[in-house]
Amino acid sequence: MMDRATQLKNHLTATDYAIRTAEANAARERQSVRLLAVSKTKPAADIKTLYALGQKSFGENYVQEAAEKINELKEFDIEWHFIGRIQSNKTKQIATTFDWVHTVDRKKIANRLNEASHGKPLNILIQVNVDLAETKSGVDPTELTDLAEYIWNLPNLKLRGLMSIPDPKSDDQLRQSHRQLKILFDNLKRDHPAPKIFDTLSMGMTHDLELAVSQGSTMVRIGTALFGARAPKE
Ligand SMILES: *Cc1c(COP(=O)(O)O)cnc(C)c1O
């Protein structure tokens, strides 16, 4: 039986290889895609192991669970990303514990994050509902420009780009969704040359990593391929 540290090391190597291969296949620049390790439901010990192997960015979905791990790992120079649904009563805690928030989809939340975050500017991605899916999170693409302009005017937030969580479906439909997000990203960048950096397209998970990279992702959010399957959430 392989020990946990060896297993994590092998998974990290394989995931890194998959990203570099996808970059090459898409004629993308090497290292143009970052790996965000999605550690929800996984113990702080696993995060420590990956950190020691050079992985510095981790994503979490649940505020309470994340707060415990972040506190336990506070000596480490980890970049923490919040990728879960945002409840408005948690905005203060999110703004003060995380470095990035991927799931901003309305002005009220942006405003609350802005008010709660002083000192370090908080990196923000707007979650877009590219499929207009039943899952109600994500801004409707027709309201994206308005929300982006609103966030660009908030002094404590740094709007870095867009994010999506497409519905599970066929590769063709997924490719369409990813392509649509890339077009929205490029259009925003072109029409609204911000003084700030707008450089991040967070799309692609374990099952669609390669597809997402082929469509322009700059950050893939990988849980299962790194840590193994998660127990189903109650
Ligand atoms: C859990 C989660 C991931 C990771 O998914 P895997 O399929 O395990 O790679 C990525 N993004 C979000 C928003 C998630 O909630």
Side-chain angles (χ1 to χ4, degrees):
M1 219 10 219
M2 212 187 286
D3 70 21
R4 181 65 174 156
T6 309
Q7 196 177 51
L8 287 168
K9 181 170 191 240
N10 291 345
H11 288 173
L12 181 62
T13 306
T15 302
D16 185 63
Y17 181 78
I19 296 172
R20 306 291 76 102
T21 305
E23 286 173 346
N25 289 344
R28 302 265 314 267
E29 198 181 318
R30 202 176 155 77
Q31 308 282 355
S32 56
V33 180
R34 282 178 66 187
L35 169 61
L36 178 65
V38 175
S39 45
K40 64 178 171 223
T41 80
K42 301 297 174 182
D46 280 0
I47 297 176
K48 257 188 224 178
T49 302
L50 288 178
Y51 180 87
L53 295 165
Q55 177 63 31
K56 298 286 152 66
S57 310
F58 291 86
E60 290 279 344
N61 293 57
Y62 310 105
V63 176
Q64 191 49 47
E65 177 199 333
E68 288 165 24
K69 290 185 231 175
I70 292 172
N71 186 49
E72 188 176 339
L73 298 167
K74 59 176 179 284
E75 316 94 88
F76 300 93
D77 184 25
I78 292 175
E79 187 181 80
W80 293 102
H81 294 236
F82 186 76
I83 63 171
R85 268 174 179 276
I86 306 175
Q87 293 170 276
S88 59
N89 64 344
K90 296 282 169 59
T91 44
K92 182 160 187 197
Q93 206 182 352
I94 291 171
T96 52
T97 7
F98 287 86
D99 304 294
W100 286 70
V101 182
H102 288 224
T103 43
V104 176
D105 63 1
R106 54 196 191 275
K107 290 178 184 174
K108 179 184 160 197
I109 294 289
N111 211 11
R112 290 178 70 107
L113 289 170
N114 179 62
E115 276 164 14
S117 104
H118 17 85
K120 51 150 202 185
L122 191 59
N123 295 290
I124 298 290
L125 301 177
I126 295 176
Q127 182 180 353
V128 184
N129 187 351
V130 276
D131 302 320
L132 294 174
E134 301 87 72
T135 78
K136 277 163 255 71
S137 24
V139 68
D140 184 305
T142 59
E143 289 158 22
L144 172 61
T145 303
D146 186 46
L147 179 59
E149 283 176 352
Y150 185 82
I151 297 176
W152 265 317
N153 284 318
L154 296 174
N156 301 324
L157 302 187
K158 259 201 209 170
L159 181 59
R160 297 289 296 267
L162 305 180
M163 177 268 203
S164 69
I165 313 174
D167 275 352
K169 53 193 168 182
S170 75
D171 279 4
D172 269 354
Q173 290 167 314
L174 263 177
R175 186 177 294 108
Q176 279 300 106
S177 299
H178 290 331
R179 182 172 300 156
Q180 195 201 343
L181 191 70
K182 168 72 166 152
I183 291 170
L184 292 169
F185 177 78
D186 287 344
N187 288 350
L188 257 185
K189 207 169 160 156
R190 180 198 65 208
D191 297 340
H192 303 271
K196 310 196 177 94
I197 342 166
F198 190 73
D199 58 358
T200 303
L201 199 49
S202 165
M203 61 183 195
M205 301 167 36
T206 293
H207 70 288
D208 63 338
L209 181 161
E210 162 134 45
L211 202 56
V213 171
S214 79
Q215 299 306 313
S217 169
T218 70
M219 191 184 289
V220 288
R221 309 181 306 265
I222 306 296
T224 308
L226 284 173
F227 296 98
R230 289 177 294 276
K233 191 95 180 135
E234 319 281 283

